[in-house]
Amino acid sequence: MKHSARLTQLIDALRALPGVGPKTAQRMAFHLLQEGRSGARALAGALDSALESVVRCRRCRMLTEDELCSICSAPQRDASLLCAVESPADVVAIELSGSYRGRYFVLMGHLSPLDGIGPEQLGVRELEAILNEGTVREFILATNPTVEGEATAHFLGELATRRGIRASRIAHGVPIGGELEYVDGGTLAHALAGRQSVT
Amino acid sequence: MKHSARLTQLIDALRALPGVGPKTAQRMAFHLLQEGRSGARALAGALDSALESVVRCRRCRMLTEDELCSICSAPQRDASLLCAVESPADVVAIELSGSYRGRYFVLMGHLSPLDGIGPEQLGVRELEAILNEGTVREFILATNPTVEGEATAHFLGELATRRGIRASRIAHGVPIGGELEYVDGGTLAHALAGRQSVT
């Protein structure tokens, strides 16, 4: 069964979405061209206008439509705290937890020399400019607890300590609500090593 | 964390895709605006051009870019066989099986009075026109084995038998490669009721 040219093109284009394989893409295309036509029109328009107006924050590289994102431009945020994360989704997750009042720096990835991602690609020059301002007192490393994330955290931590700024890593351990029995060994080892005295 | 207006718009628009919830939509939006910008541009273009040129086949209601779809316009297809399916994806699945040489009629849904989907919405008038031509000898009912699909098959079957055309329903039973142990009771009941003598 050969699809018509434009239908094939749409199915291929839908595969640009993360986690969408050929079968899901076909299902999406059929849906968009049947009952979802108004949704499809809205999606095409939203893509166009977002591509045109969503840029990166000049300071922290978060996605925004202004020169500075809503966090960087909010005066009530604590400028002495800076938190490095790998992606905009991480900013959203931390903000949803409601437990952080400082600012962010979005790396848009992690160090990965094999993929050609070095300090330059992670915006280290912009980061150093912020650290050089002298307002940051603590630099929180919230990269993912993967090999690449740890390496990136290590590298970024050096940048801060070299300038006499305290660098800290978010805690790793047993998730709240999790059961010890089902937690993997690596996490348990971290939880034990990071134990804190109960007073 | 409030996203900027256009980013929110894009996330909402992505939820028009089947099976995409708020979290997946956010992940897709971030991806499209970071490393996936060229893919996003291609997707917007593909949506526009597909919406403009993909229409339904005048005869069988399959999605196509021409007046007649590639199956309806192929002279080597057996015009004496007509197979009713609920969606274009079903046509693709049957074609992939390589076991059918006739034509199709795509209902684009099933009878569902509560949702306002009656015979009119399923194109019954066009279907009757085809059955009235006198070329169809067998009308195969390949709607889904759900309550609505069965009701639709029953209704459509009447249309054929009333005209002296043989109506048949695809067989339901244990899937090839499946194990009896894991097959649900309804399917087993169908498999037993539809047993065929071994010669």
Side-chain angles (χ1 to χ4, degrees), chain A residues 2 5 17 28 33 44 49 66 69 74 81 97 116 144 158 167 192:
Chain A
K2 263 200 65 212
L17 298 170
M28 287 176 165
L33 292 172
S49 84
D66 307 302
C69 73
L81 288 174
S97 80
N144 288 326
E158 295 264 290
L192 281 168

Side-chain angles (χ1 to χ4, degrees), chain B residues 132-161:
Chain B
N132 286 340
E133 285 171 2
T135 41
V136 177
R137 279 188 300 106
E138 182 175 354
F139 186 35
I140 302 169
L141 303 157
T143 52
N144 290 326
T146 57
V147 176
E148 297 89 348
E150 293 293 347
T152 308
H154 184 80
F155 173 80
L156 296 177
E158 295 263 291
L159 295 180
T161 49

Side-chain angles (χ1 to χ4, degrees), chain A residues 67-131:
Chain A
E67 231 190 317
L68 283 181
C69 73
S70 59
I71 295 176
C72 282
S73 56
Q76 68 270 31
R77 304 288 301 209
D78 187 348
S80 71
L81 288 174
L82 187 68
C83 177
V85 293
E86 292 187 22
S87 78
D90 299 336
V91 172
V92 175
I94 295 178
E95 286 297 293
L96 278 178
S97 80
S99 54
Y100 180 66
R101 295 181 46 257
R103 290 183 175 162
Y104 295 92
F105 189 83
V106 185
L107 302 164
M108 297 281 181
H110 46 235
L111 289 179
S112 180
L114 286 179
D115 302 315
I117 301 176
E120 183 81 6
Q121 283 68 39
L122 301 183
V124 163
R125 216 179 300 175
E126 293 93 316
L127 175 61
E128 285 187 301
I130 297 175
L131 296 178

Side-chain angles (χ1 to χ4, degrees), chain B residues 161-180:
Chain B
T161 49
R162 206 185 298 154
R163 288 168 174 81
I165 297 169
R166 188 183 157 211
S168 59
R169 183 91 174 96
I170 51 166
H172 299 135
V174 180
I176 302 300
E179 295 187 49
L180 283 198

Side-chain angles (χ1 to χ4, degrees), chain B residues 85-97:
Chain B
V85 294
E86 292 188 19
S87 78
D90 299 336
V91 173
V92 175
I94 295 177
E95 287 296 295
L96 278 178
S97 80

Side-chain angles (χ1 to χ4, degrees), chain A residues 1 3-6 14 16-17 26 30-32 34 37 44 48-49 51 53-54 63 65 88-89 92 95 108, chain B residues 1 3-6 16-17 26 30-32 34 37 43-44 48-49 51 53-54 63 65 88-89 92 95 108:
Chain A
M1 175 76 207
H3 293 303
S4 68
R6 259 112 176 181
L14 283 164
L17 298 170
Q26 181 191 288
F30 283 154
H31 173 84
L32 290 171
Q34 291 173 67
R37 286 186 95 94
D48 279 332
S49 84
L51 280 170
S53 27
V54 176
L63 297 175
E65 282 173 47
V92 175
E95 286 297 293
M108 297 281 181
Chain B
M1 174 77 208
H3 292 303
S4 68
R6 257 113 176 179
L17 297 170
Q26 181 191 288
F30 284 154
H31 174 84
L32 290 171
Q34 291 173 66
R37 286 185 97 94
L43 178 54
D48 279 332
S49 84
L51 280 169
S53 28
V54 177
L63 297 175
E65 283 173 48
V92 175
E95 287 296 295
M108 297 283 179

